[in-house]
Amino acid sequence: MTKGKQPAKQPRQPKPSEDEKAKRKAENDYLDEALEESFPASDPIAPPKFDDSKN
């Protein structure tokens, strides 16, 4: 009986800080609002690009 290769373990991602969680939530909330306001239009939303270099 031969053993198959074990899948490579993925490195653990560091837990996001509270600031990163808050930023991600704010971005998601903004995108959700933009999507709700565009419905039922046929054009997709055009969200702004978030610039991390300002932080």
Side-chain angles (χ1 to χ4, degrees), residues 26-45:
E27 290 174 358
N28 284 334
D29 290 348
Y30 183 85
L31 293 173
D32 287 343
E33 181 181 351
L35 182 61
E36 287 174 11
E37 290 181 4
S38 68
F39 189 78
S42 60
D43 295 335
I45 62 171

Side-chain angles (χ1 to χ4, degrees), residues 6-23:
Q6 294 288 333
K9 290 186 178 181
Q10 296 294 324
R12 287 191 174 185
Q13 298 292 326
K15 291 186 178 182
S17 69
E18 292 301 317
D19 287 340
E20 290 170 332
K21 287 180 185 179
K23 181 180 176 186

